[in-house]
Amino acid sequence: MEIGDWPTTEAEAVAAQERLRGAADATGPGPGPEEARTVAGVDVAYADSRSGDGEGGGSLLVAAAVVLDVATLEVVEESVHVGTSTFPYLPGLLAFRELPSVRAALDGLTHRPDVLVCDGYGLAHPRRAGLAVHLGVLTGIPCFGVAKTPFVSRFEEPGRERGAWTPLTLDGERVGRALRTRTGVKPVFVSVGSGISEENAAALTLRLTPAYRLPETTRHADHLAGRRLAKELGEPDGPDGPGGPGGPGGPGRAPAAGSA
DNA sequence: GCGACAG
DNA sequence: ATCTTGTCGC
């Protein structure tokens, strides 16, 4: 979907997801830890989560995309996008709140990552159209989601050790895995978005969690977005003062308005 | 009908 | 998501 038919209301967003559910690539196994050279994680930080945005404008937000080398887990490239929210947070419609800014952050990358990882869901969604499905279809890059809570899905508690997992189900369908990334710690919820198999998504998730419950990609993107947001809030006029030149230091886009 | 509900 | 101090542990 292009900017032209971007949903404005909840009803339009739901309809868009129902059309999207068939557009996802459910056949491609995509790359696993051995095939993928790079993986990009994306996340968004908000200055004001509650009012989000009203009818008039939107609150400040920062989207971040961080590319990691799968073999070494070292940061290859970073990109941030500073903008404003154009859609409120509504359960099941997170994609419409985060997609515009996430896309902008991804556009700032010079690398085209082999895989995309995002917070939230892919198929583990009421209409099988979570953020990872939207992002995978939009970019054409294999994408999956790793969420911290199961939302509407259900699962049996997996074994206590790292690597243990159980099926995530929704309406009697398999929608992902409850995967233990750290021994003795609550599991994460992995679900495919588009262009990658559940097996490869789970294998990559384990590859990306050598030390923490959440993937390094998510951690890096989360921290980058948070640091940049704090900087924006603390220095509204930038390090060079009012009217001064100097754009955003290093990687990063200039502030971009969300709407006219 | 009301509440709960990825981030 | 975001608001926040201390605390346990490598």
Side-chain angles (χ1 to χ4, degrees), chain A residues 77-213:
Chain A
E77 186 179 13
E78 300 180 330
S79 173
V80 296
H81 165 78
V82 180
T84 56
S85 58
T86 58
F87 202 92
Y89 168 69
L90 297 174
L93 299 178
L94 175 68
F96 298 100
R97 179 167 176 71
E98 307 213 325
L99 214 45
S101 56
V102 165
R103 181 185 56 183
L106 287 174
D107 285 343
L109 294 173
T110 61
H111 288 75
R112 181 180 175 77
D114 297 320
V115 181
L116 250 38
V117 183
C118 60
D119 282 17
Y121 311 126
L123 296 178
H125 176 280
R127 288 171 292 280
R128 309 299 186 273
L131 176 60
V133 175
H134 285 259
L135 211 48
V137 170
L138 182 71
T139 63
I141 298 174
C143 178
F144 67 92
V146 177
K148 295 180 289 296
T149 63
F151 194 17
V152 291
S153 300
R154 286 181 302 192
F155 69 102
E156 297 289 300
E157 195 69 20
R160 185 171 179 287
E161 352 58 72
R162 162 177 159 83
W165 64 273
T166 53
L168 241 197
T169 62
L170 181 54
D171 302 322
E173 294 175 30
R174 271 289 292 273
V175 294
R177 296 182 181 183
L179 175 65
R180 192 87 66 182
T181 54
R182 304 302 301 166
T183 298
V185 176
K186 282 152 47 81
V188 295
F189 304 89
V190 180
S191 62
V192 164
S194 181
I196 191 169
S197 67
E198 184 182 296
E199 291 69 22
N200 281 332
L204 279 166
T205 298
L206 285 175
R207 174 75 188 97
L208 295 169
T209 51
Y212 297 94
R213 178 190 177 220

Side-chain angles (χ1 to χ4, degrees), chain A residues 13-107:
Chain A
V14 169
Q17 290 188 324
E18 292 175 335
R19 291 195 302 272
L20 179 72
R21 64 191 304 172
D25 171 14
T27 64
E34 304 306 313
E35 297 78 37
R37 305 273 279 93
T38 59
V39 185
V42 295
D43 193 30
V44 183
Y46 301 90
D48 186 358
S49 62
R50 48 218 153 171
S51 71
D53 57 271
E55 319 310 317
S59 57
L60 185 66
L61 64 75
V62 176
V66 179
V67 181
L68 300 186
D69 181 298
V70 177
T72 65
L73 297 188
E74 292 178 345
V75 176
V76 172
E77 186 179 13
E78 300 180 330
S79 173
V80 296
H81 165 78
V82 180
T84 56
S85 58
T86 58
F87 202 92
Y89 168 69
L90 297 174
L93 299 178
L94 175 68
F96 298 100
R97 179 167 176 71
E98 307 213 325
L99 214 45
S101 56
V102 165
R103 181 185 56 183
L106 287 174
D107 285 343

